[in-house]
Amino acid sequence: MKDSHNRSINYMRISITDRCNLRCRYCMPEDVPFISHERILRFEEILRICRLAGRLGIRKFKVTGGEPLIRKGCLSFLKELKKLPDTDQVTLTTNGVFLKDCLPELQAIGIDGVNISLDTLNPDTFRHITGRSDFARVMDAILSCQACGIRTKINTVLLKDVNDHEFWDLIQLAHDYPLDVRFIEIMPIGFGKEYQGYDRSSLLPLLSTRYPDYETTNKTRGNGPAVYVSIPGFQGYIGFIDAIHGKFCHQCNRIRLTSDGMLKLCLYYNNGINIKEMIRNQLEDEQIMAVMQDAIFHKPAEHQFYHTALEGTEEARKMSQIGG
Ligand code: SAM
Ligand code: SF4
């Protein structure tokens, strides 16, 4: 459906849990309180919301977290989501630690792609960033995805003085394998506020020092706002997602469902509609859909990161609670 700014809204990111097995410094360091199980949407509740969203024209779903693969029943949920009458596409964003064993089932379900977060190729730096020693498992999952032909994108948050020295090595993955490597600009949400990152205005000039023949492509390679470049001889593309400095609100196509049942219209704002309450108060489909439709129509025009926020509007949730 179109919102009041004439944007087509056709994509929903669904966070199915706020819990995670990793403790990435910029996302969820050790001490975060988790949402209690009864406050988390049950899978059948999420599926009902997705079915209604599908009727409103939202047909592409990205399942995220926290870490989605640690929630029991995640694969069965993906299967059901894929089977909904209006679903066009289901993809998954994961840290990759538990991915390898899930690949046969994901393939059988017909998953349309996986995004794997990987900020480093060095096991020690991996431990430093994530607090865990799972580098080899993630790498193994990435290689297994290549072996079974699942469309793969690597998401990397490049941080000053943490992993920025690995820029070239990370890019090399798209040379060696048919996968895209995307650099995500760190957003000042939660613990992300403590880090300094990069956007394409600094990374592209750097890229050109070694690959002057790179070309910016207009091709859309997913649902997101990434700007992609191709490099001669590379099998995959290099992407840049600059939510802050390359503000792409005018072409935003997405809404978000948090694990505790809030429909968020914009990552920045703390408000949204409490769909869980409507479901648990036994509202009819048509009533819930009408509220969703109205909320989506009034999706905010743009985020206000780095601008003066209206008092009390800025999102206070952590990224692990929203799903990225
Ligand atoms: N656990 C899964 C993962 O890591 O892919 C899914 C959830 S995680 C919140 C989704 C993505 O958000 C990851 O690629 C992560 O690097 C990114 N992320 C987390 N905090 C961020 C921040 N403050 N700014 C930008 N990206 C962030
Ligand atoms: Fe977990 Fe993903 Fe956050 Fe890392 S970025 S702590 S893997 S939710």
Side-chain angles (χ1 to χ4, degrees), residues 292-306:
M292 285 172 72
Q293 189 165 20
D294 182 64
I296 295 168
F297 185 75
H298 291 106
K299 180 176 154 66
E302 56 182 3
H303 70 63
Q304 301 290 331
F305 288 115
Y306 293 156

Side-chain angles (χ1 to χ4, degrees), residues 13 15 17 19-22 24-28 63-69 92-96 115-119 154-157 159 182 184-193 195 241 243-244 267 318-324:
R13 293 180 70 93
S15 173
T17 178
R19 294 169 195 239
C20 187
N21 53 307
L22 298 187
C24 300
R25 290 172 170 261
Y26 55 83
C27 178
M28 191 205 296
V63 176
T64 173
E67 172 49 38
L69 292 177
L92 181 73
T93 292
T94 170
N95 61 35
N115 292 4
I116 304 174
S117 300
L118 182 72
D119 296 332
I154 304 297
N155 285 343
T156 299
V157 179
L159 298 173
R182 300 149 12 120
I184 302 179
E185 182 183 16
I186 185 86
M187 286 184 260
I189 287 189
F191 301 96
K193 287 180 181 154
Y195 291 88
I241 303 180
I244 312 301
L267 187 59
K318 309 287 179 279
M319 199 61 117
S320 54
Q321 296 172 320
I322 305 168

